[in-house]
Amino acid sequence: MNQRVLKVLEFNKIIEQLTKHAETSLGKGLTEKLKPAIELSEVNALQDETDEAVQILRLNKVIPLGGIRDIRPSLKRSSIGGGLSALECLDVANTIYGGRQAKNFIEALEEDFPILQGLTQLVTPLKELELEIKTCIDDHGEILDNASAKLRGIRSSIRTYEARVREKLENYTRSHSNMLSDAIVTIRNDRYVLPVKQEYRSQIGGIVHDQSSSGQTLFMEPKAVVDLNNQLHEALLKEKQEIERILAELSASVAGEADTLLINLEVLAKIDFISARAKLSREMKAAKPVMNDQGIIKMKQARHPLIATDEVVPNDIEIGENYTSIVITGPNTGGKTVTLKMIGLCTIMAQSGLQIPAFDECELAVFKEVFADIGDEQSIEQNLSTFSSHMKNIVGIIERVDEESLVLFDELGSGTDPGEGAALAMAILDEVISRNARVIATTHYPELKAYGYNRKNVVNASVEFDVESLQPTYRLLIGVPGRSNAFEISQRLGLNTMVIDRAKGLIGVDSKNVENMIASLEKSQLDAEREYEEAHKLLVESEKLRTDIEKEWLALEQQKEKLYKKAEEKAEKALRKAREEAEIIVDEIRKMKTNAGLKEHEWIEARKMLDEAQPKLLKKGTKEKEKSKTAEEHVLSPGDEIKLLTVNQQGVVLEKVNENNYLIQVGIMKVKAKRQDLQYIGKPKLTPEKTVATIKGSNYHVRTELDLRGERFEDALHKLEKYIDDALLAGYSKVSIIHGKGTGALRSGVQDFVKSHPAIASARMGSSGEGGSGVTVLEFK
């Protein structure tokens, strides 16, 4: 992209605005070098970068980049063995800190920002180097006492010497105040002195280091403090040497991380550059364009980026799909040139990764070259007229233009004879259009008003002019050539009607027809735009109505869900209360079980059925209902596993009584049930020899032996108790408890437990074939 076009389109002003938004000198350096890219992939990558930063700004968040400095000169000097000053080392530490802050901020964002998060992964925190520097240097660039033990000792002695010198000199100020010009202690040549009057020089004695301009005051170092001042001076020299040593060590540490720091700087500069583009986008209220390489431009309500928002008139621009060229006609000061520059500037901005001031989903093309012949090109230095200068520029454009070019002509063919100029303008347009370039041209020549009707891929356009106010509206009308409006303007300004009528009679019939046609087109377009606005208003209202209805529907659904939940909670509460009451009744009856002569396993079964009697409340539309519906359609046969929905218990079908009733086994009970109360689960998976035991024991599929070896005593007894209950429910008459021989503690515990169990008829040691004394065989009543 040639520099002349960038200057003509005032891209440099966009750069100035962009630079103001950069936080660091590194970022400003990148903004000042910004140039449009010419490859679609590169442009899309730049636009994606900018859009990520824009999304962060929309979250009311700003990437922190404070404290970052351009430390590249310091890094270069330290890398070749040079020493850094305390302030330079501090800049390095602050840059490390600023980079870490930016890295942490971007990585902590909840949303996904792959480009920026990928960049921050390249930033190395370097906390150790930062801590090393900050331990030695304070925020003002001063070396801290704790930078080294030696420095701390030297400074302690310095303070001691200073205190002793001051003490002696202050004694002088009190005892010899009449000999001093002022009763103060001051410093000359890094030594503490007193301001002594000239006439008392010999009485004070010592070394003269300076004198006042009048010569009446001598700044003297009394003999009594010379030795102390010498000691102080030596300590100050040692301090300087120690500071130089500390800075040399820090410089070496910085040199060791120079390559990493340079990478950090490069990444942070790019992040700042991207952030600056996003901030400019927010300032301009811009949008991300969709880029293409087919030469298609579609912008809705596009604004010139350099005109204030409250002054600029937005326009719709479209070129490259149905037509490749636009010829804009109309009077001066109507906004033709502004429109031309706006299209060119927005194109260059988009190719530079900047968003453009237009509505969302605008579309722009990537061009290899943008050519522009705009403004007064008169060259005094080359002794060229305006026409000659324009023509020289146009010749250069024609030599280089191709199908990947955007060409902008302002007042094409002006500056010469109108007839020849119009003919030349049409010939130039024909040549450029034949190269399949995208062309937008403005002109005064009326001959070009019909140009768009006689050429393929060309459309006329004009800028609207309000005859009532005699002011341009700056609105672009695509498809309508411009009118001169000379007669209407003259009449509004008071020109005699007879003169105007005579003028109308002098123009040709063709001109009248063209002007009438243009007036009709303008009226048709205005009517179409008005109808479009009305239709758009109706669309917005209908969208709002649809949104309101959706909100009401959602609120209704939420209210319905609340009612369902409330009903469920109420039902659960009632069931809980009923269960508690049933528990009390069962406990009371159990106490009387001996009199009733009931067996223990029957009470265990009743208790377990009570525990599982509470049904699950299903919400409307759940899969359980769909499953139940499917189960109802299944034809049941003996042996099928089913669930009895009335008590939420699983069982097995024994036989079909009639069309709607089945005999089923649920636990130890055989009951009749209706088909709609049964949910089909599946075919039994047990072997034939275990089927009888399974039917008798329902869900309690237990082994005929229990292995307690290795269990803790309390855990073993707990498992034994549960196992006996399960074995009773399974209908077993005999089971084996394996407890091992060991110390005999577990065996004794098992035997003591079974002796007191009411459901066990007998307990014996296992035979030689059953495990011997390591097994206890139980037989149930």
Side-chain angles (χ1 to χ4, degrees):
M1 204 75 69
N2 62 79
Q3 290 295 321
R4 181 187 167 279
V5 169
L6 299 180
K7 183 179 179 181
V8 168
L9 297 176
E10 300 179 287
F11 186 60
N12 61 306
K13 294 184 178 179
I14 298 294
I15 296 294
E16 290 173 6
Q17 292 185 13
L18 179 63
T19 303
K20 292 177 182 177
H21 290 293
E23 297 287 338
T24 68
S25 58
L26 296 164
K28 292 181 189 295
L30 291 180
T31 62
E32 291 168 355
K33 297 176 183 177
L34 180 61
K35 293 289 185 296
I38 57 174
E39 296 295 334
L40 179 61
S41 59
E42 185 179 356
V43 173
N44 282 331
L46 291 170
Q47 287 292 344
D48 290 340
E49 291 173 355
T50 306
D51 190 56
E52 277 198 11
V54 168
Q55 297 303 322
I56 292 175
L57 289 178
R58 286 177 181 168
L59 296 173
N60 291 323
K61 297 180 180 179
V62 180
I63 300 174
L65 294 165
I68 298 172
R69 303 283 185 271
D70 185 0
I71 57 174
R72 288 175 295 186
S74 300
L75 296 178
K76 184 175 181 181
R77 192 163 64 257
S78 67
S79 297
I80 59 176
L84 304 181
S85 68
L87 286 174
E88 287 177 315
C89 290
L90 184 62
D91 283 344
V92 172
N94 288 335
T95 299
I96 294 173
Y97 175 77
R100 192 169 69 255
Q101 291 295 101
K103 177 184 177 73
N104 293 340
F105 171 84
I106 293 174
E107 290 180 348
L109 293 171
E110 296 179 359
E111 292 77 6
D112 187 25
F113 298 101
I115 297 174
L116 289 171
Q117 288 167 349
L119 283 173
T120 56
Q121 290 179 2
L122 302 175
V123 177
T124 306
L126 297 177
K127 289 183 180 180
E128 292 181 1
L129 179 58
E130 179 194 351
L131 182 61
E132 182 182 356
I133 295 172
K134 289 293 184 72
T135 303
C136 298
I137 304 173
D138 66 14
D139 293 339
H140 305 289
E142 298 293 333
I143 302 296
L144 294 167
D145 292 355
N146 294 328
S148 73
K150 185 177 180 181
L151 181 62
R152 184 167 59 251
I154 292 171
R155 286 187 171 172
S156 177
S157 63
I158 288 173
R159 284 190 285 270
T160 301
Y161 292 140
E162 285 178 340
R164 292 172 62 186
V165 171
R166 281 186 170 277
E167 181 182 1
K168 283 185 175 293
L169 292 179
E170 285 171 357
N171 288 335
Y172 270 90
T173 61
R174 289 191 293 270
S175 60
H176 301 79
S177 60
N178 61 317
M179 299 180 186
L180 304 178
S181 298
D182 198 355
I184 61 171
V185 178
T186 185
I187 296 175
R188 289 292 186 276
N189 298 328
D190 295 329
R191 300 178 78 88
Y192 285 94
V193 296
L194 293 172
V196 181
K197 294 178 182 178
Q198 174 69 32
E199 59 268 26
Y200 296 111
R201 173 178 181 174
S202 58
Q203 285 89 331
I204 296 296
I207 303 170
V208 177
H209 288 279
D210 197 4
Q211 67 178 10
S212 65
S213 57
S214 64
Q216 296 301 312
T217 301
L218 302 177
F219 294 95
M220 295 182 64
E221 179 183 0
K223 291 179 181 179
V225 297
V226 170
D227 289 340
L228 285 174
N229 262 333
N230 288 339
Q231 292 173 339
L232 175 60
H233 190 66
E234 289 176 6
L236 289 172
L237 289 175
K238 290 179 181 178
E239 178 193 34
K240 183 178 179 182
Q241 291 171 355
E242 180 63 13
I243 288 174
E244 288 175 352
R245 186 194 66 78
I246 292 169
L247 290 176
E249 286 186 357
L250 293 178
S251 300
S253 298
V254 171
E257 299 289 357
D259 292 339
T260 303
L261 285 167
L262 285 172
I263 293 173
N264 285 0
L265 288 176
E266 184 179 347
V267 173
L268 293 171
K270 186 169 184 180
I271 291 174
D272 188 19
F273 181 33
I274 295 171
S275 178
R277 297 187 334 236
K279 291 174 184 175
L280 180 64
S281 175
R282 180 174 62 178
E283 181 181 72
M284 289 184 174
K285 298 179 180 177
K288 178 185 178 183
V290 178
M291 306 304 298
N292 66 79
D293 55 2
Q294 284 86 45
I296 298 173
I297 297 176
K298 290 181 181 180
M299 293 190 287
K300 293 290 185 182
Q301 298 297 286
R303 310 181 303 278
H304 194 291
L306 298 175
I307 300 178
T309 307
D310 55 346
E311 296 178 5
V312 68
V313 176
N315 276 301
D316 297 345
I317 306 293
E318 185 173 340
I319 188 174
E321 197 167 48
N322 299 320
Y323 44 84
T324 61
S325 304
I326 300 175
V327 178
I328 307 173
T329 54
N332 281 330
T333 70
K336 299 193 303 296
T337 304
V338 171
T339 301
L340 206 64
K341 284 188 172 183
M342 183 266 290
I343 297 170
L345 188 54
C346 284
T347 297
I348 291 175
M349 286 175 63
Q351 291 187 214
S352 302
L354 301 174
Q355 297 188 347
I356 61 169
F359 280 2
D360 289 339
E361 298 183 0
C362 51
E363 191 171 353
L364 283 167
V366 176
F367 296 101
K368 292 291 189 296
E369 288 283 357
V370 175
F371 299 104
D373 182 60
I374 299 174
D376 188 356
E377 298 290 331
Q378 187 174 20
S379 176
I380 297 174
E381 293 82 359
Q382 298 182 21
N383 194 26
L384 297 174
S385 67
T386 299
F387 176 76
S388 300
S389 184
H390 275 294
M391 196 49 58
K392 183 179 179 181
N393 189 30
I394 290 170
V395 169
I397 291 173
I398 292 176
E399 288 176 352
R400 299 167 56 193
V401 72
D402 59 20
E403 69 277 1
E404 294 183 308
S405 302
L406 172 65
V407 185
L408 307 172
F409 289 127
D410 188 31
E411 301 299 344
L412 184 60
S414 62
T416 185
D417 177 77
E420 293 181 355
L424 193 59
M426 286 188 283
I428 292 170
L429 286 173
D430 285 341
E431 177 63 23
V432 176
I433 292 170
S434 69
R435 308 273 186 94
N436 202 30
R438 302 299 181 264
V439 184
I440 303 174
T442 68
T443 181
H444 275 123
Y445 295 127
E447 290 84 352
L448 267 72
K449 292 178 181 178
Y451 183 82
Y453 296 105
N454 300 326
R455 300 292 194 281
K456 186 180 179 181
N457 295 329
V458 182
V459 67
N460 283 314
S462 62
V463 286
E464 188 180 47
F465 189 87
D466 188 350
V467 179
E468 296 297 324
S469 63
L470 302 180
Q471 294 290 329
T473 64
Y474 304 106
R475 292 179 66 248
L476 185 68
L477 304 175
I478 300 290
V480 180
R483 298 169 56 197
S484 65
N485 298 307
F487 296 144
E488 290 83 352
I489 294 172
S490 300
Q491 187 173 11
R492 294 281 299 175
L493 293 174
L495 186 62
N496 190 287
T497 305
M498 294 177 61
V499 176
I500 294 173
D501 291 340
R502 190 179 299 118
K504 288 180 179 179
L506 294 175
I507 65 172
V509 175
D510 290 342
S511 296
K512 288 182 181 179
N513 291 337
V514 169
E515 290 297 320
N516 290 337
M517 177 191 69
I518 293 172
S520 176
L521 284 172
E522 285 183 349
K523 183 177 183 301
S524 298
Q525 179 147 346
L526 289 173
D527 290 343
E529 288 179 355
R530 185 171 58 253
E531 291 173 0
Y532 171 80
E533 289 176 359
E534 291 176 357
H536 181 69
K537 184 178 179 181
L538 289 173
L539 177 62
V540 171
E541 291 176 353
S542 63
E543 285 289 336
K544 184 178 181 300
L545 181 61
R546 184 175 68 87
T547 303
D548 292 342
I549 291 174
E550 287 178 350
K551 287 181 179 178
E552 290 292 334
W553 177 260
L554 181 61
L556 181 62
E557 287 292 318
Q558 290 175 345
Q559 181 65 24
K560 186 166 64 173
E561 287 296 324
K562 287 180 181 178
L563 291 174
Y564 274 126
K565 187 175 181 181
K566 188 174 180 181
E568 288 178 359
E569 290 175 351
K570 187 175 180 180
E572 287 175 359
K573 186 176 180 181
L575 285 170
R576 197 181 305 115
K577 184 178 179 182
R579 187 180 183 282
E580 290 172 356
E581 293 174 353
E583 287 267 8
I584 295 170
I585 296 170
V586 168
D587 288 341
E588 290 178 353
I589 295 175
R590 187 172 184 176
K591 292 176 182 177
M592 299 182 290
K593 64 180 182 178
T594 306
N595 297 332
L598 298 177
K599 293 183 179 181
E600 177 68 17
H601 70 273
E602 294 174 348
W603 290 107
I604 295 171
E605 173 67 18
R607 180 64 177 269
K608 196 158 186 78
M609 289 183 67
L610 177 62
D611 288 340
E612 298 176 356
Q614 183 170 333
K616 294 180 181 178
L617 297 172
L618 302 178
K619 293 185 178 179
K620 185 178 180 181
T622 61
K623 291 183 179 180
E624 187 70 28
K625 278 203 169 185
E626 296 175 4
K627 189 174 179 181
S628 297
K629 183 178 178 181
T630 306
E632 288 180 9
E633 298 170 357
H634 185 83
V635 178
L636 298 178
S637 58
D640 287 349
E641 293 186 356
I642 50 86
K643 178 187 282 188
L644 181 58
L645 298 178
T646 54
V647 294
N648 197 30
Q649 289 289 305
Q650 292 187 11
V652 178
V653 175
L654 297 178
E655 63 177 289
K656 184 176 181 180
V657 179
N658 53 43
E659 286 298 323
N660 196 39
N661 291 281
Y662 289 83
L663 180 64
I664 62 172
Q665 177 97 27
V666 179
I668 62 171
M669 299 184 297
K670 293 181 180 179
V671 295
K672 285 184 180 179
K674 295 183 179 297
R675 179 63 185 86
Q676 59 265 30
D677 295 332
L678 301 178
Q679 178 183 325
Y680 174 73
I681 295 176
K683 295 292 183 180
K685 299 178 182 179
L686 298 177
T687 56
E689 53 269 26
K690 293 186 179 180
T691 302
V692 175
T694 301
I695 292 174
K696 187 174 183 180
S698 183
N699 294 325
Y700 306 103
H701 307 303
V702 294
R703 296 166 62 99
T704 57
E705 60 183 27
L706 173 65
D707 192 348
L708 296 177
R709 290 175 294 182
E711 297 285 347
R712 292 174 63 249
F713 187 79
E714 294 79 3
D715 294 340
L717 293 183
H718 177 73
K719 286 187 176 181
L720 176 60
E721 182 179 12
K722 183 178 184 303
Y723 174 74
I724 291 174
D725 289 345
D726 291 341
L728 287 169
L729 292 175
Y732 296 153
S733 60
K734 182 175 71 173
V735 295
S736 298
I737 309 301
I738 304 172
H739 43 65
K741 299 178 182 179
T743 61
L746 184 57
R747 177 180 57 199
S748 298
V750 169
Q751 292 176 351
D752 289 342
F753 176 82
V754 299
K755 285 178 183 177
S756 61
H757 200 289
I760 298 175
S762 65
R764 63 178 175 81
M765 302 296 292
S767 63
S768 58
E770 295 174 325
S773 61
V775 176
T776 297
V777 179
L778 307 179
E779 294 183 1
F780 298 122
K781 294 178 181 179

